[in-house]
Coordinates of all heavy atoms in Angstrom, one line a residue:
T1 N 223.7 -122.6 60.7 CA 224.3 -121.5 59.9 C 224.5 -120.3 60.8 O 223.6 -119.9 61.5 CB 223.4 -121.1 58.7 OG1 223.1 -122.3 58.0 CG2 224.1 -120.1 57.9
F2 N 225.8 -119.9 60.9 CA 226.1 -118.8 61.8 C 225.7 -117.5 61.1 O 225.8 -117.3 59.9 CB 227.6 -118.8 62.1 CG 227.9 -119.9 63.1 CD1 228.2 -121.2 62.7 CD2 227.9 -119.6 64.5 CE1 228.5 -122.1 63.6 CE2 228.2 -120.6 65.4 CZ 228.5 -121.9 64.9
T3 N 225.2 -116.5 61.9 CA 224.6 -115.3 61.5 C 225.7 -114.5 60.7 O 225.4 -114.0 59.6 CB 224.1 -114.4 62.6 OG1 223.2 -115.2 63.4 CG2 223.5 -113.1 62.2
R4 N 226.9 -114.5 61.1 CA 228.0 -113.7 60.4 C 228.2 -114.3 59.1 O 228.5 -113.5 58.1 CB 229.2 -113.6 61.3 CG 230.0 -114.9 61.3 CD 231.4 -114.8 61.9 NE 232.0 -116.0 61.9 CZ 232.2 -116.9 62.9 NH1 231.8 -116.5 64.1 NH2 232.8 -118.0 62.7
D5 N 228.1 -115.6 58.9 CA 228.4 -116.2 57.6 C 227.2 -115.9 56.7 O 227.4 -115.6 55.5 CB 228.5 -117.7 57.7 CG 229.7 -118.2 58.6 OD1 230.7 -117.3 58.7 OD2 229.6 -119.3 59.2
M6 N 226.0 -115.9 57.2 CA 224.8 -115.6 56.4 C 224.9 -114.1 56.0 O 224.6 -113.8 54.8 CB 223.6 -115.9 57.1 CG 222.3 -115.8 56.2 SD 220.8 -116.3 57.0 CE 221.0 -118.1 57.0
A7 N 225.2 -113.3 56.9 CA 225.3 -111.8 56.6 C 226.4 -111.6 55.5 O 226.2 -110.8 54.6 CB 225.7 -111.0 57.8
A8 N 227.5 -112.3 55.6 CA 228.6 -112.1 54.6 C 228.1 -112.6 53.2 O 228.4 -111.9 52.3 CB 229.8 -112.9 55.0
A9 N 227.3 -113.6 53.2 CA 226.8 -114.1 51.9 C 225.8 -113.0 51.3 O 225.9 -112.7 50.1 CB 226.1 -115.4 52.1
I10 N 225.0 -112.5 52.2 CA 224.0 -111.5 51.7 C 224.7 -110.3 51.2 O 224.4 -109.8 50.1 CB 223.0 -111.1 52.9 CG1 222.1 -112.3 53.1 CG2 222.2 -109.9 52.5 CD1 221.3 -112.2 54.4
F11 N 225.7 -109.8 52.0 CA 226.5 -108.6 51.5 C 227.2 -108.9 50.2 O 227.3 -108.0 49.4 CB 227.3 -108.1 52.6 CG 226.6 -107.3 53.6 CD1 226.6 -107.8 55.0 CD2 225.9 -106.1 53.4 CE1 225.9 -107.1 56.0 CE2 225.3 -105.4 54.3 CZ 225.3 -105.9 55.6
H12 N 227.7 -110.1 50.1 CA 228.4 -110.5 48.8 C 227.5 -110.4 47.6 O 227.8 -109.8 46.6 CB 229.0 -111.9 48.9 CG 229.6 -112.4 47.6 ND1 230.8 -112.0 47.1 CD2 229.0 -113.2 46.7 CE1 230.9 -112.6 45.9 NE2 229.8 -113.3 45.7
V13 N 226.3 -111.1 47.8 CA 225.3 -111.1 46.7 C 224.9 -109.6 46.3 O 224.8 -109.3 45.1 CB 224.1 -111.9 47.0 CG1 222.9 -111.8 46.1 CG2 224.5 -113.4 47.1
L14 N 224.6 -108.8 47.3 CA 224.2 -107.4 47.1 C 225.4 -106.6 46.5 O 225.2 -105.9 45.5 CB 223.8 -106.8 48.3 CG 222.4 -107.3 48.9 CD1 222.1 -106.7 50.3 CD2 221.3 -107.1 48.0
G15 N 226.6 -106.8 47.1 CA 227.7 -106.0 46.7 C 228.3 -106.3 45.3 O 228.9 -105.5 44.6
T16 N 228.1 -107.5 44.8 CA 228.6 -108.0 43.5 C 227.5 -107.8 42.5 O 227.7 -108.1 41.3 CB 229.1 -109.4 43.5 OG1 228.0 -110.3 43.9 CG2 230.3 -109.6 44.5
H17 N 226.3 -107.4 42.9 CA 225.2 -107.3 42.0 C 224.9 -108.6 41.2 O 224.7 -108.6 40.0 CB 225.4 -106.1 41.0 CG 225.6 -104.8 41.6 ND1 224.6 -104.1 42.2 CD2 226.7 -104.1 41.8 CE1 225.1 -103.0 42.7 NE2 226.4 -103.0 42.5
A18 N 224.9 -109.7 42.0 CA 224.7 -111.0 41.5 C 223.3 -111.0 40.9 O 222.4 -110.2 41.3 CB 224.8 -112.0 42.6
P19 N 223.0 -111.9 40.0 CA 221.7 -112.0 39.4 C 220.5 -112.1 40.4 O 220.7 -112.7 41.5 CB 221.7 -113.3 38.5 CG 223.2 -113.5 38.2 CD 223.9 -113.0 39.4
Y20 N 219.4 -111.4 40.1 CA 218.3 -111.5 41.0 C 217.8 -112.9 41.1 O 217.8 -113.6 40.2 CB 217.2 -110.6 40.5 CG 215.9 -110.6 41.3 CD1 215.8 -109.8 42.4 CD2 214.8 -111.4 40.9 CE1 214.7 -109.8 43.2 CE2 213.7 -111.4 41.6 CZ 213.6 -110.6 42.8 OH 212.5 -110.6 43.5
G21 N 217.3 -113.3 42.3 CA 216.7 -114.6 42.5 C 216.8 -115.1 43.9 O 217.2 -114.3 44.8
T22 N 216.5 -116.3 44.1 CA 216.6 -117.0 45.4 C 217.9 -117.7 45.6 O 218.3 -118.4 44.7 CB 215.4 -118.0 45.6 OG1 214.1 -117.3 45.4 CG2 215.5 -118.6 46.9
Y23 N 218.6 -117.4 46.7 CA 219.9 -118.0 46.9 C 219.7 -118.9 48.2 O 219.4 -118.3 49.2 CB 221.0 -117.0 47.1 CG 221.3 -116.3 45.9 CD1 220.6 -115.3 45.3 CD2 222.5 -116.6 45.2 CE1 220.9 -114.7 44.1 CE2 222.9 -116.0 44.0 CZ 222.1 -115.0 43.5 OH 222.5 -114.4 42.3
D24 N 220.0 -120.1 48.1 CA 220.1 -121.0 49.4 C 221.3 -120.6 50.1 O 222.4 -120.3 49.5 CB 220.1 -122.5 49.0 CG 218.8 -123.0 48.5 OD1 217.7 -122.3 48.7 OD2 218.8 -124.0 47.8
C25 N 221.2 -120.5 51.4 CA 222.3 -120.1 52.2 C 222.4 -120.9 53.5 O 221.5 -120.8 54.4 CB 222.2 -118.6 52.5 SG 223.6 -118.0 53.4
T26 N 223.4 -121.8 53.7 CA 223.5 -122.6 54.8 C 225.0 -123.0 54.9 O 225.7 -122.8 53.9 CB 222.6 -123.8 54.8 OG1 222.7 -124.5 56.1 CG2 223.0 -124.8 53.7
G27 N 225.4 -123.5 56.0 CA 226.8 -123.9 56.1 C 227.1 -125.0 55.1 O 226.2 -125.8 54.9
S28 N 228.3 -125.0 54.5 CA 228.6 -126.0 53.6 C 229.1 -127.3 54.4 O 229.1 -127.3 55.6 CB 229.7 -125.5 52.7 OG 230.9 -125.3 53.4
G29 N 229.5 -128.3 53.7 CA 230.0 -129.5 54.3 C 229.0 -130.6 54.3 O 228.0 -130.6 53.5
A30 N 229.2 -131.6 55.1 CA 228.3 -132.8 55.1 C 226.9 -132.4 55.5 O 226.6 -131.7 56.4 CB 228.9 -133.8 56.1
V31 N 226.0 -133.0 54.7 CA 224.5 -132.9 55.1 C 224.2 -133.8 56.2 O 224.5 -134.9 56.2 CB 223.7 -133.2 53.8 CG1 222.2 -133.2 54.2 CG2 224.0 -132.3 52.7
K32 N 223.6 -133.2 57.3 CA 223.2 -133.9 58.5 C 221.8 -133.7 58.9 O 221.2 -132.6 58.5 CB 224.1 -133.5 59.6 CG 225.6 -133.6 59.4 CD 226.0 -135.1 59.5 CE 227.6 -135.2 59.4 NZ 228.1 -136.4 59.8
S33 N 221.2 -134.6 59.6 CA 219.9 -134.4 60.2 C 219.9 -133.4 61.3 O 221.0 -133.2 61.9 CB 219.3 -135.7 60.6 OG 220.0 -136.2 61.8
W34 N 218.8 -133.0 61.8 CA 218.8 -132.1 63.0 C 219.3 -132.9 64.2 O 220.0 -132.3 65.0 CB 217.3 -131.6 63.2 CG 216.9 -130.5 62.3 CD1 216.0 -130.6 61.3 CD2 217.4 -129.2 62.2 NE1 215.9 -129.4 60.6 CE2 216.8 -128.6 61.2 CE3 218.4 -128.5 62.9 CZ2 217.0 -127.3 60.8 CZ3 218.7 -127.2 62.6 CH2 218.0 -126.6 61.6
A35 N 219.0 -134.2 64.3 CA 219.5 -135.0 65.3 C 221.0 -135.1 65.3 O 221.7 -135.0 66.3 CB 218.9 -136.4 65.3
D36 N 221.6 -135.2 64.1 CA 223.0 -135.3 63.9 C 223.7 -134.0 64.4 O 224.8 -134.0 65.0 CB 223.5 -135.6 62.5 CG 223.1 -136.9 62.0 OD1 223.0 -137.9 62.9 OD2 222.9 -137.1 60.8
I37 N 223.1 -132.9 64.0 CA 223.6 -131.5 64.4 C 223.5 -131.4 65.9 O 224.5 -131.0 66.6 CB 222.9 -130.4 63.7 CG1 223.1 -130.5 62.2 CG2 223.3 -129.1 64.2 CD1 222.2 -129.7 61.3
A38 N 222.4 -131.8 66.5 CA 222.3 -131.7 68.0 C 223.3 -132.6 68.7 O 223.9 -132.1 69.7 CB 220.8 -132.0 68.4
R39 N 223.5 -133.8 68.1 CA 224.5 -134.7 68.7 C 225.9 -134.1 68.7 O 226.6 -134.1 69.6 CB 224.4 -136.0 67.9 CG 225.2 -137.1 68.6 CD 225.1 -138.5 67.9 NE 223.7 -138.9 67.9 CZ 222.9 -139.0 66.8 NH1 223.3 -138.6 65.7 NH2 221.6 -139.4 67.0
A40 N 226.3 -133.4 67.6 CA 227.6 -132.8 67.5 C 227.7 -131.7 68.5 O 228.8 -131.6 69.1 CB 227.8 -132.3 66.0
V41 N 226.7 -130.9 68.6 CA 226.7 -129.8 69.6 C 226.9 -130.3 71.0 O 227.7 -129.9 71.8 CB 225.5 -128.9 69.4 CG1 225.4 -127.9 70.6 CG2 225.5 -128.2 68.1
F42 N 226.1 -131.3 71.4 CA 226.1 -131.8 72.7 C 227.4 -132.5 73.0 O 228.0 -132.4 74.1 CB 225.0 -132.8 73.0 CG 223.7 -132.2 73.4 CD1 223.0 -131.4 72.5 CD2 223.2 -132.3 74.6 CE1 221.8 -130.8 72.9 CE2 222.0 -131.7 75.1 CZ 221.3 -130.9 74.2
E43 N 228.0 -133.2 72.0 CA 229.2 -133.9 72.1 C 230.4 -132.9 72.3 O 231.2 -133.1 73.2 CB 229.5 -134.8 70.9 CG 230.7 -135.7 71.1 CD 230.5 -136.7 72.3 OE1 229.5 -137.2 72.6 OE2 231.6 -136.9 72.9
A44 N 230.4 -131.9 71.5 CA 231.5 -130.9 71.6 C 231.3 -130.1 72.9 O 232.4 -129.7 73.5 CB 231.4 -130.0 70.4
A45 N 230.1 -129.8 73.3 CA 229.9 -128.9 74.5 C 230.2 -129.6 75.8 O 230.8 -129.1 76.7 CB 228.5 -128.3 74.5
N46 N 229.7 -130.9 75.9 CA 229.9 -131.6 77.2 C 230.0 -133.1 77.1 O 229.9 -133.8 78.1 CB 228.7 -131.2 78.2 CG 227.4 -131.5 77.5 OD1 227.2 -132.4 76.7 ND2 226.4 -130.7 77.9
G47 N 230.3 -133.6 76.0 CA 230.6 -135.0 75.8 C 229.5 -136.0 75.9 O 229.7 -137.2 76.1
N48 N 228.2 -135.4 75.9 CA 227.1 -136.4 76.0 C 226.2 -136.5 74.7 O 225.0 -136.6 74.8 CB 226.3 -136.1 77.2 CG 225.5 -134.8 77.2 OD1 225.7 -134.0 76.3 ND2 224.7 -134.6 78.1
G49 N 226.9 -136.4 73.6 CA 226.1 -136.5 72.3 C 225.4 -137.8 72.2 O 224.4 -137.8 71.5
G50 N 225.8 -138.8 72.8 CA 225.1 -140.1 72.8 C 223.7 -140.1 73.3 O 222.9 -141.0 73.1
R51 N 223.5 -139.1 74.1 CA 222.1 -139.0 74.8 C 221.0 -138.4 73.8 O 219.9 -138.4 74.1 CB 222.2 -138.2 76.0 CG 223.1 -138.8 77.1 CD 223.0 -138.2 78.4 NE 221.7 -138.4 78.9 CZ 221.2 -137.7 79.9 NH1 221.9 -136.8 80.6 NH2 220.0 -138.0 80.4
V52 N 221.5 -137.9 72.7 CA 220.6 -137.3 71.7 C 219.9 -138.5 71.0 O 220.5 -139.3 70.5 CB 221.3 -136.4 70.7 CG1 220.3 -135.9 69.6 CG2 221.9 -135.2 71.4
V53 N 218.6 -138.5 71.0 CA 217.8 -139.5 70.4 C 217.0 -138.9 69.2 O 216.2 -138.0 69.4 CB 216.8 -140.1 71.4 CG1 215.9 -141.2 70.8 CG2 217.5 -140.7 72.6
P54 N 217.3 -139.5 68.0 CA 216.5 -138.9 66.9 C 215.0 -139.3 67.0 O 214.6 -140.4 67.5 CB 217.1 -139.6 65.7 CG 218.0 -140.7 66.2 CD 218.2 -140.5 67.7
V55 N 214.1 -138.4 66.5 CA 212.7 -138.6 66.5 C 212.2 -138.3 65.1 O 212.5 -137.3 64.6 CB 212.0 -137.7 67.6 CG1 210.5 -137.8 67.5 CG2 212.6 -138.0 68.9
S56 N 211.4 -139.2 64.6 CA 210.8 -138.9 63.2 C 209.8 -137.8 63.3 O 209.3 -137.5 64.4 CB 210.2 -140.2 62.6 OG 209.0 -140.5 63.4
T57 N 209.6 -137.2 62.2 CA 208.6 -136.1 62.1 C 207.2 -136.6 62.5 O 206.5 -136.0 63.3 CB 208.5 -135.5 60.7 OG1 209.8 -134.9 60.4 CG2 207.5 -134.3 60.7
A58 N 206.9 -137.9 62.0 CA 205.6 -138.5 62.3 C 205.5 -138.7 63.9 O 204.4 -138.4 64.4 CB 205.5 -139.8 61.6
D59 N 206.5 -139.2 64.5 CA 206.4 -139.4 65.9 C 206.3 -138.1 66.7 O 205.6 -137.9 67.7 CB 207.6 -140.2 66.4 CG 207.6 -141.6 66.0 OD1 206.5 -142.1 65.6 OD2 208.6 -142.3 66.1
Y60 N 207.1 -137.1 66.2 CA 207.1 -135.8 66.9 C 205.7 -135.1 66.9 O 205.3 -134.6 67.9 CB 208.1 -134.9 66.2 CG 208.3 -133.5 66.9 CD1 209.2 -133.4 68.0 CD2 207.7 -132.4 66.4 CE1 209.4 -132.3 68.6 CE2 207.9 -131.1 67.1 CZ 208.7 -131.1 68.2 OH 208.9 -129.9 68.8
Y61 N 205.0 -135.2 65.8 CA 203.7 -134.6 65.7 C 202.6 -135.6 66.0 O 201.4 -135.2 65.8 CB 203.5 -134.0 64.3 CG 204.4 -132.8 64.1 CD1 205.4 -132.7 63.1 CD2 204.2 -131.6 64.9 CE1 206.2 -131.6 62.9 CE2 205.0 -130.5 64.7 CZ 205.9 -130.5 63.8 OH 206.7 -129.4 63.6
A62 N 202.8 -136.8 66.4 CA 201.8 -137.8 66.6 C 200.7 -137.3 67.5 O 199.5 -137.6 67.3 CB 202.4 -139.1 67.2
G63 N 201.0 -136.6 68.6 CA 199.9 -136.1 69.5 C 199.5 -134.7 69.3 O 198.7 -134.1 70.1
A64 N 199.9 -134.1 68.2 CA 199.5 -132.7 67.9 C 198.0 -132.5 67.6 O 197.4 -133.4 67.0 CB 200.3 -132.1 66.8
E65 N 197.5 -131.4 68.0 CA 196.1 -131.1 67.7 C 196.1 -130.0 66.7 O 196.9 -129.0 66.8 CB 195.4 -130.7 68.9 CG 195.3 -131.8 70.0 CD 194.5 -131.4 71.2 OE1 193.8 -130.4 71.2 OE2 194.7 -132.1 72.3
G66 N 195.3 -130.1 65.7 CA 195.2 -129.0 64.6 C 196.2 -129.3 63.5 O 196.9 -130.3 63.4
P67 N 196.1 -128.5 62.5 CA 196.9 -128.7 61.3 C 198.4 -128.6 61.6 O 198.9 -127.8 62.4 CB 196.4 -127.6 60.4 CG 195.9 -126.5 61.2 CD 195.4 -127.2 62.5
I68 N 199.1 -129.4 60.8 CA 200.6 -129.4 60.9 C 201.2 -129.1 59.5 O 200.7 -129.7 58.6 CB 201.1 -130.8 61.4 CG1 200.5 -131.2 62.7 CG2 202.6 -130.9 61.4 CD1 200.9 -130.3 63.9
A69 N 202.1 -128.2 59.5 CA 202.7 -127.9 58.2 C 203.6 -129.1 57.7 O 204.3 -129.7 58.5 CB 203.7 -126.7 58.3
P70 N 203.4 -129.5 56.4 CA 204.2 -130.6 55.9 C 205.7 -130.3 55.9 O 206.0 -129.2 55.6 CB 203.6 -130.8 54.5 CG 202.9 -129.5 54.1 CD 202.5 -128.9 55.4
R71 N 206.5 -131.3 56.2 CA 207.9 -131.1 56.2 C 208.5 -132.0 55.1 O 208.1 -133.1 54.9 CB 208.5 -131.6 57.6 CG 207.9 -130.9 58.8 CD 208.2 -129.5 58.9 NE 209.7 -129.3 58.9 CZ 210.3 -128.1 58.9 NH1 209.6 -127.0 58.8 NH2 211.6 -128.1 58.9
P72 N 209.5 -131.5 54.4 CA 210.1 -132.2 53.4 C 210.9 -133.4 54.0 O 211.4 -133.3 55.1 CB 211.1 -131.3 52.7 CG 211.4 -130.2 53.7 CD 210.2 -130.1 54.6
V73 N 211.0 -134.5 53.2 CA 211.8 -135.7 53.7 C 213.2 -135.4 53.6 O 214.0 -135.8 54.5 CB 211.4 -136.9 52.8 CG1 212.3 -138.1 53.1 CG2 210.0 -137.3 52.9
H74 N 213.7 -134.7 52.6 CA 215.1 -134.3 52.5 C 215.2 -132.8 52.3 O 214.7 -132.3 51.2 CB 215.7 -135.1 51.4 CG 217.2 -134.8 51.2 ND1 218.1 -135.3 52.1 CD2 217.9 -134.2 50.3 CE1 219.3 -134.9 51.7 NE2 219.2 -134.2 50.6
S75 N 215.7 -132.0 53.2 CA 215.6 -130.6 53.0 C 217.0 -129.9 52.9 O 217.2 -128.8 53.4 CB 214.9 -130.0 54.2 OG 215.5 -130.3 55.5
A76 N 218.0 -130.6 52.4 CA 219.3 -130.1 52.1 C 219.2 -128.9 51.1 O 218.4 -129.0 50.2 CB 220.3 -131.1 51.7
L77 N 220.0 -127.9 51.3 CA 219.9 -126.7 50.4 C 221.0 -126.9 49.4 O 222.1 -127.4 49.7 CB 220.0 -125.4 51.2 CG 219.0 -125.2 52.2 CD1 219.2 -123.8 52.9 CD2 217.6 -125.1 51.6
D78 N 220.8 -126.3 48.2 CA 221.7 -126.3 47.1 C 222.5 -125.0 47.1 O 221.9 -124.0 46.8 CB 221.0 -126.6 45.8 CG 221.9 -126.6 44.6 OD1 223.1 -126.5 44.7 OD2 221.3 -126.7 43.4
L79 N 223.8 -125.0 47.4 CA 224.6 -123.8 47.4 C 225.2 -123.4 46.1 O 226.0 -122.5 46.0 CB 225.7 -124.0 48.5 CG 225.2 -124.3 49.9 CD1 226.4 -124.5 50.8 CD2 224.4 -123.1 50.4
S80 N 224.9 -124.1 45.0 CA 225.6 -123.9 43.7 C 225.3 -122.5 43.2 O 226.3 -121.9 42.7 CB 225.2 -125.0 42.7 OG 223.7 -124.9 42.4
K81 N 224.1 -121.9 43.4 CA 223.9 -120.6 42.8 C 224.7 -119.5 43.6 O 225.3 -118.6 43.0 CB 222.4 -120.3 42.9 CG 222.0 -118.9 42.3 CD 220.6 -118.7 42.2 CE 220.2 -117.4 41.6 NZ 218.7 -117.3 41.6
L82 N 224.8 -119.7 44.9 CA 225.6 -118.8 45.7 C 227.1 -119.0 45.4 O 227.8 -118.0 45.2 CB 225.4 -119.1 47.2 CG 226.1 -118.2 48.2 CD1 225.7 -116.8 48.1 CD2 225.8 -118.7 49.6
E83 N 227.6 -120.2 45.2 CA 228.9 -120.4 44.8 C 229.3 -119.9 43.4 O 230.4 -119.4 43.2 CB 229.3 -121.9 44.9 CG 229.3 -122.4 46.3 CD 229.4 -123.9 46.5 OE1 229.2 -124.6 45.5 OE2 229.6 -124.4 47.6
T84 N 228.3 -120.0 42.5 CA 228.5 -119.4 41.1 C 228.7 -117.9 41.2 O 229.4 -117.3 40.4 CB 227.3 -119.8 40.2 OG1 227.2 -121.2 40.1 CG2 227.4 -119.2 38.9
S85 N 228.1 -117.3 42.2 CA 228.2 -115.8 42.4 C 229.6 -115.4 43.0 O 230.0 -114.3 43.1 CB 227.2 -115.3 43.3 OG 227.4 -115.4 44.7
G86 N 230.4 -116.5 43.3 CA 231.7 -116.2 43.9 C 231.9 -116.3 45.4 O 232.9 -115.9 45.9
F87 N 230.8 -116.8 46.0 CA 230.9 -116.9 47.5 C 230.8 -118.4 48.0 O 229.9 -119.1 47.5 CB 229.7 -116.1 48.2 CG 229.9 -115.9 49.6 CD1 230.6 -114.9 50.1 CD2 229.3 -116.8 50.5 CE1 230.8 -114.8 51.5 CE2 229.4 -116.7 51.9 CZ 230.2 -115.6 52.4
R88 N 231.6 -118.8 48.8 CA 231.6 -120.1 49.4 C 231.4 -120.0 50.9 O 232.1 -119.4 51.6 CB 233.0 -120.8 49.2 CG 233.1 -122.1 49.9 CD 233.6 -123.2 48.9 NE 233.8 -124.5 49.6 CZ 232.9 -125.4 49.8 NH1 231.7 -125.2 49.4 NH2 233.2 -126.5 50.5
M89 N 230.3 -120.7 51.3 CA 229.9 -120.8 52.7 C 230.9 -121.6 53.5 O 231.3 -122.7 52.9 CB 228.5 -121.3 52.9 CG 227.4 -120.4 52.5 SD 227.3 -118.9 53.4 CE 226.7 -119.6 55.0
P90 N 231.3 -121.2 54.6 CA 232.2 -122.1 55.4 C 231.6 -123.4 55.8 O 230.3 -123.5 55.9 CB 232.5 -121.2 56.7 CG 232.1 -119.8 56.3 CD 231.1 -120.0 55.3
D91 N 232.4 -124.4 56.1 CA 231.9 -125.7 56.6 C 231.3 -125.5 58.0 O 231.9 -125.0 58.9 CB 233.1 -126.7 56.7 CG 232.6 -128.1 57.1 OD1 232.5 -128.3 58.3 OD2 232.5 -128.9 56.2
W92 N 230.1 -126.0 58.1 CA 229.3 -125.8 59.4 C 230.0 -126.5 60.6 O 230.0 -126.0 61.7 CB 227.9 -126.2 59.3 CG 227.6 -127.7 59.2 CD1 227.5 -128.5 58.1 CD2 227.5 -128.6 60.4 NE1 227.3 -129.8 58.5 CE2 227.3 -129.9 59.8 CE3 227.4 -128.4 61.7 CZ2 227.1 -131.0 60.6 CZ3 227.3 -129.5 62.5 CH2 227.1 -130.8 62.0
E93 N 230.6 -127.6 60.4 CA 231.3 -128.4 61.4 C 232.5 -127.6 61.9 O 232.8 -127.6 63.1 CB 231.6 -129.8 61.0 CG 230.3 -130.6 60.9 CD 230.6 -132.0 60.4 OE1 230.7 -132.3 59.3 OE2 230.6 -132.9 61.3
E94 N 233.3 -127.0 61.0 CA 234.4 -126.3 61.3 C 234.0 -125.0 62.1 O 234.7 -124.7 63.1 CB 235.3 -125.9 60.1 CG 235.9 -127.1 59.5 CD 236.6 -126.8 58.1 OE1 236.8 -125.6 57.8 OE2 237.0 -127.7 57.4
E95 N 233.0 -124.4 61.6 CA 232.5 -123.1 62.3 C 232.0 -123.5 63.7 O 232.2 -122.7 64.6 CB 231.4 -122.5 61.4 CG 231.9 -121.9 60.1 CD 232.8 -120.7 60.4 OE1 232.2 -119.6 60.7 OE2 234.0 -120.8 60.2
L96 N 231.3 -124.6 63.8 CA 230.8 -125.0 65.1 C 232.0 -125.2 66.1 O 231.9 -124.7 67.3 CB 230.0 -126.3 65.1 CG 229.5 -126.9 66.4 CD1 228.7 -125.9 67.2 CD2 228.8 -128.2 66.2
G97 N 233.0 -125.9 65.6 CA 234.2 -126.1 66.5 C 234.9 -124.8 66.9 O 235.2 -124.6 68.0
E98 N 235.0 -123.9 65.9 CA 235.6 -122.5 66.3 C 234.7 -121.8 67.3 O 235.3 -121.2 68.2 CB 235.8 -121.7 65.0 CG 236.9 -122.3 64.1 CD 238.2 -122.3 64.7 OE1 238.6 -121.3 65.4 OE2 238.9 -123.3 64.6
Y99 N 233.4 -121.8 67.1 CA 232.5 -121.1 68.0 C 232.6 -121.7 69.4 O 232.7 -120.9 70.4 CB 231.1 -121.2 67.5 CG 230.1 -120.7 68.5 CD1 230.0 -119.3 68.7 CD2 229.3 -121.6 69.3 CE1 229.0 -118.8 69.6 CE2 228.4 -121.1 70.2 CZ 228.2 -119.7 70.3 OH 227.4 -119.3 71.3
L100 N 232.6 -123.0 69.5 CA 232.7 -123.6 70.9 C 234.0 -123.3 71.6 O 234.0 -123.3 72.8 CB 232.4 -125.1 70.7 CG 231.0 -125.5 70.4 CD1 230.9 -127.0 70.1 CD2 230.0 -125.1 71.4
K101 N 235.0 -123.1 70.8 CA 236.3 -122.7 71.5 C 236.2 -121.4 72.1 O 237.0 -121.1 73.1 CB 237.4 -122.6 70.4 CG 237.9 -124.0 69.9 CD 239.0 -123.8 68.9 CE 239.4 -125.1 68.2 NZ 240.3 -125.0 67.1
T102 N 235.3 -120.5 71.7 CA 235.2 -119.2 72.3 C 234.3 -119.1 73.6 O 234.3 -118.1 74.2 CB 234.5 -118.2 71.3 OG1 233.2 -118.5 71.0 CG2 235.3 -118.2 70.0
L103 N 233.7 -120.3 73.9 CA 232.8 -120.3 75.1 C 233.5 -120.5 76.4 O 234.5 -121.1 76.4 CB 231.7 -121.4 74.9 CG 230.8 -121.2 73.7 CD1 229.8 -122.4 73.7 CD2 230.0 -119.9 73.8

């Protein structure tokens, strides 16, 4: 989620006096894993997205010492409350493409 998009959503909610509560805020579009997002970034930036290897949470924390915060199996956010307030978050893949063009 790009900072400017999140800031626009926050200012929209505040400026329209949307109902009080918790609003999920993330780029719209296809739900992807962290590995999928990393793969898209690496592929767009330098063509080596195929080198990104997904790692399960269990494997990632297998050697950790001490308590580990539990992670949800599926952590996609629901944008319906934000959209009901009249704000639509931009598609994260389109925003990524636009951002990479500026580099």
Side-chain angles (χ1 to χ4, degrees):
T1 306
F2 286 87
T3 306
R4 70 167 184 259
D5 298 335
M6 188 173 286
I10 292 168
F11 283 117
H12 170 81
V13 169
L14 294 173
T16 61
H17 303 286
Y20 178 81
T22 301
Y23 289 78
D24 289 340
C25 184
T26 188
S28 67
V31 175
K32 302 285 185 166
S33 70
W34 285 111
D36 292 333
I37 295 168
R39 189 175 297 110
V41 170
F42 276 70
E43 188 61 36
N46 55 29
N48 68 350
R51 297 191 66 195
V52 174
V53 177
V55 176
S56 71
T57 301
D59 288 343
Y60 186 79
Y61 289 116
E65 295 180 20
I68 301 298
R71 303 294 300 175
V73 174
H74 183 72
S75 58
L77 300 179
D78 179 3
L79 299 176
S80 61
K81 187 172 180 181
L82 185 58
E83 291 171 351
T84 299
S85 81
F87 191 86
R88 173 126 173 91
M89 287 295 289
D91 182 281
W92 74 267
E93 291 179 277
E94 292 174 11
E95 291 291 285
L96 175 61
E98 291 300 315
Y99 172 74
L100 290 172
K101 287 179 189 175
T102 68
L103 298 180

